[in-house]
Amino acid sequence: MAESKKHLLLVEDEAPLREALAERLSEHGFEVEQADTGEHAIEQLAEFAFDIVITDLRLPGLDGTRVLEAALLRYPDIVGIIVTGYGTVKDAVDAIRRGAIDFVTKPFQFDELLHALNSALEQRRLKSENAYLRSQLQERYKFEGIVGRSPAMRAMFQLLETVSASASTILVTGETGTGKEIVARAIHHNSPRRAQRFVALNCGAIPETLLEAELFGHVRGAFTGAIGNRQGRMEQAHKGTLFLDEVGTMSAGLQMKLVRVLQEREFERIGDAHTTKIDVRVIAATNSDLQKMVADGQFREDLYYRLNVIPIALPPLRDRREDIPLLVQHFLKKFSGPESGAFVNPREPGHRVDSPKASESRTLTVSQQAMRCLMAYSWPGNVRQLENAIERAVALSGGRSQIEIADLTPELQQASNEASAPDLQLPDEGIDFEGYVNRIEHQLIRRALEKTGGNKGQASRLLNLKRTTLVEKLKRLEPRTG
Ligand SMILES: Nc1ncnc2c1ncn2[C@@H]1O[C@H](COP(=O)(O)OP(=O)(O)OP(=O)(O)O)[C@@H](O)[C@H]1O
Ligand SMILES: [Mg+2]
């Protein structure tokens, strides 16, 4: 397969210079996007996984080093080149320290820039082969197996550090798959209680009638079938941590009993006249909106406040896309490591395919195209869904060293089409702008109509247009038929 075009972001405030450079770079096969300020550049970086960023050092507002920092934070493998004016070489050297691969001093010949660019790309290729650097980079963004580099996650690591030391009750909220359980475990493992048990109870997975006995235990004869005394999860967690998952599903009666435990640190086993004193740290989790449930009278307000002493809200993955590359690396390592079974031959269960590298983990990377899809997708199932997607992709990648777009589900493959602009060509002889734009409009409308079997209402929704706008456009584009 031919190597795909490299996507380059060119940041320069002088319009004539920027446009001239963009043109020459496009001629040399780069897909160029332009930004006139640092702020715009950062916005564009947030939306698209560029391969290269070339930025002027001196910009009005945010300067080039800021652009570079933002780029590297999102994409540690991005090629960064700084363009500096005369006499600012020191600043350029500084930029290199911060992660730029090279710099070019103004005024420069285009070939000089091209040379710097090509050698930087080569450097990056070598760097991406360096698994050691990769793993080093990862260590800085980890807390007990939780990875993330987004501001939200880094703030959370700090919070975890602090709250682990205390015995306060914690309420972890977040959509499904955002990492609520892994966070609860991390807190326990960092707490003074780490030598004691972490006991998890999923309140949503146990029928209501059994939940109480599961939580509080019972004494002999408490109910039919209670043949002996039995400890509940609460007691098992004594001096340790009790993790109450899906706490929003608890019945009203049980909610009341839980309030008492949190308040008085005591309870009775079912059928027991004797009160049991308990020392547990409670961490509760939920993906429902407890505040709303309180307002609707479905969840006790006093319980809500007792649980919500320290709230930890995990943002959905689509709101912290900069964590995606790091999570991808994390899961690649997990699923392609020596113990992962990545070399297991499906026809011979339990036998590894003979490979010279079978004893070490293979270094798998993700193609830029595939990464673009992973970055663009909305991830309704959050990190769990990403984990599953990577496991699947690793399995499908066979012995290849790179995950390709074809190893992703069709849904994911679709994501990048929706997010990126079409690949437009501008020939040297120029184009008829109006006609060109009309043709694109026409094509999109035709596609939408084909997809919806000619239904203009549905087609307009697909295109996010008003129906009347679509009809007008059709009339203009197809005067005879529309
Ligand atoms: N930041 C992270 N770093 C590494 N792995 C993560 C991270 N967040 C989640 N995971 C992994 O994703 C999977 C789902 O996480 P977890 O079970 O903690 O989610 P959850 O919020 O409890 O989901 P649910 O509401 O569906 O129970 C787990 O395999 C977990 O290890
Ligand atoms: Mg969970």
Side-chain angles (χ1 to χ4, degrees):
M1 202 175 77
E3 183 144 305
S4 59
K5 279 191 168 184
K6 297 279 184 228
H7 289 258
L8 185 155
L9 179 63
L10 178 63
V11 195
E12 166 67 63
D13 56 323
E14 289 174 54
L17 174 61
R18 185 182 67 239
E19 259 143 35
L21 278 178
E23 196 176 344
R24 298 287 313 264
L25 287 164
S26 310
E27 283 166 18
H28 280 81
F30 294 97
E31 204 62 69
V32 185
E33 291 283 335
Q34 305 181 30
D36 55 351
T37 64
E39 285 83 345
H40 287 155
I42 287 172
E43 276 169 31
Q44 279 164 272
L45 282 164
E47 286 167 12
F48 193 81
F50 287 94
D51 302 284
I52 304 153
V53 56
I54 299 181
T55 175
D56 197 354
L57 188 62
R58 293 280 151 84
L59 294 165
L62 287 182
D63 69 9
T65 49
R66 288 306 203 57
V67 172
L68 190 69
E69 273 169 13
L72 286 164
L73 196 64
R74 272 179 195 275
Y75 319 107
D77 283 338
I78 201 167
V79 166
I81 293 184
I82 291 271
V83 178
T84 65
Y86 238 169
T88 53
V89 173
K90 193 190 150 294
D91 294 346
V93 171
D94 222 40
I96 297 269
R97 267 200 213 109
R98 291 176 197 218
I101 287 197
D102 210 343
F103 69 91
V104 180
T105 343
K106 276 184 194 172
F108 56 87
Q109 300 289 317
F110 180 76
D111 283 345
E112 219 179 310
L113 177 66
L114 196 63
H115 176 75
L117 190 50
N118 285 329
S119 66
L121 284 170
E122 174 64 7
Q123 269 185 55
R124 183 181 80 165
R125 198 181 60 73
L126 294 174
K127 182 179 158 205
S128 71
E129 282 170 12
N130 191 332
Y132 171 64
L133 262 182
R134 198 172 281 274
S135 65
Q136 246 195 349
L137 203 60
Q138 219 168 49
E139 288 313 313
R140 279 190 281 142
Y141 303 108
K142 244 183 157 166
F143 183 93
E144 293 277 335
I146 310 172
V147 303
R149 64 151 57 90
S150 58
M153 289 304 277
R154 286 203 259 179
M156 202 196 58
F157 294 159
Q158 279 215 312
L159 182 65
L160 292 186
E161 200 89 57
T162 320
V163 303
S164 293
S166 82
S168 305
T169 306
I170 293 178
L171 180 63
V172 191
T173 56
E175 289 178 12
T176 181
T178 45
K180 295 184 292 296
E181 177 154 358
I182 190 179
V183 160
R185 288 179 188 277
I187 294 169
H188 174 75
H189 285 296
N190 262 276
S191 77
R193 295 168 178 260
R194 72 174 73 83
Q196 308 297 326
R197 274 196 262 184
F198 175 89
V199 177
L201 177 62
N202 186 339
C203 307
I206 297 174
E208 199 192 306
T209 45
L210 300 181
L211 188 58
E212 185 176 357
E214 195 59 41
L215 188 55
F216 296 119
H218 58 77
V219 293
R220 194 154 74 106
F223 46 83
T224 329
I227 39 175
N229 294 340
R230 186 164 166 261
Q231 260 195 354
R233 301 285 175 101
M234 190 67 80
E235 272 173 89
Q236 290 172 359
H238 186 52
K239 296 211 178 296
T241 305
L242 177 68
F243 177 54
L244 293 176
D245 207 355
E246 295 191 41
V247 74
T249 62
M250 264 192 186
S251 69
L254 215 49
Q255 286 181 31
M256 195 171 70
K257 292 192 172 160
L258 186 56
V259 171
R260 176 162 169 237
V261 172
L262 294 173
Q263 212 163 304
E264 318 287 346
R265 303 282 152 184
E266 63 181 35
F267 67 94
E268 284 95 34
R269 289 184 184 183
I270 299 177
D272 199 351
H274 168 80
T275 299
T276 307
K277 285 277 175 194
I278 192 90
D279 166 22
V280 287
R281 190 225 194 127
V282 174
I283 303 179
T286 180
N287 52 28
S288 33
D289 184 348
L290 284 190
Q291 238 169 332
K292 186 170 177 295
M293 289 178 69
V294 169
D296 296 348
Q298 294 167 329
F299 200 80
R300 287 182 70 106
E301 190 169 20
D302 53 357
L303 179 55
Y304 175 68
Y305 287 113
R306 294 251 164 233
L307 290 175
N308 203 30
V309 178
I310 300 173
I312 297 183
L314 292 174
L317 190 55
R318 63 185 164 281
D319 290 350
R320 49 179 166 109
R321 291 180 198 267
E322 60 265 55
D323 287 340
I324 293 173
L326 204 66
L327 284 164
V328 167
Q329 274 176 33
H330 177 74
F331 293 132
L332 276 181
K333 215 166 150 185
K334 174 170 172 185
F335 294 118
S336 63
E339 300 310 320
S340 67
F343 286 102
V344 169
N345 185 338
R347 268 168 285 174
E348 279 178 75
H351 292 266
R352 285 177 189 284
V353 170
D354 253 352
S355 152
K357 278 194 181 169
S359 59
E360 33 178 290
S361 55
R362 64 178 163 144
T363 316
L364 248 176
T365 55
V366 175
S367 76
Q368 194 78 357
Q369 254 184 323
M371 185 58 92
R372 227 162 256 151
C373 296
L374 295 169
M375 297 275 298
Y377 187 61
S378 61
W379 300 110
N382 294 294
V383 184
R384 181 183 293 110
Q385 192 186 6
L386 175 63
E387 182 171 5
N388 293 340
I390 298 300
E391 181 170 15
R392 176 182 189 273
V394 168
L396 291 181
S397 70
R400 270 183 279 122
S401 67
Q402 197 165 60
I403 304 258
E404 300 292 347
I405 201 159
D407 301 325
L408 305 176
T409 59
E411 224 179 2
L412 272 166
Q413 294 182 20
Q414 191 67 20
S416 119
N417 291 340
E418 280 159 15
S420 70
D423 190 13
L424 301 180
Q425 300 297 324
L426 185 54
D428 290 341
E429 65 276 16
I431 54 158
D432 158 26
F433 182 81
E434 298 286 355
Y436 196 96
V437 171
N438 280 343
R439 280 203 298 283
I440 292 178
E441 275 192 17
H442 197 179
Q443 245 186 49
L444 283 172
I445 291 174
R446 279 273 134 235
R447 284 272 152 79
L449 286 169
E450 273 161 32
K451 262 201 173 164
T452 58
N455 183 321
K456 289 181 187 145
Q458 282 177 18
S460 63
R461 274 193 291 282
L462 258 187
L463 297 169
N464 245 313
L465 287 176
K466 280 199 206 136
R467 191 180 187 283
T468 46
T469 312
L470 181 129
V471 171
E472 268 167 35
K473 282 186 187 293
L474 257 182
K475 271 202 192 120
R476 181 165 55 79
L477 297 164
E478 297 182 3
R480 283 144 305 170
T481 55

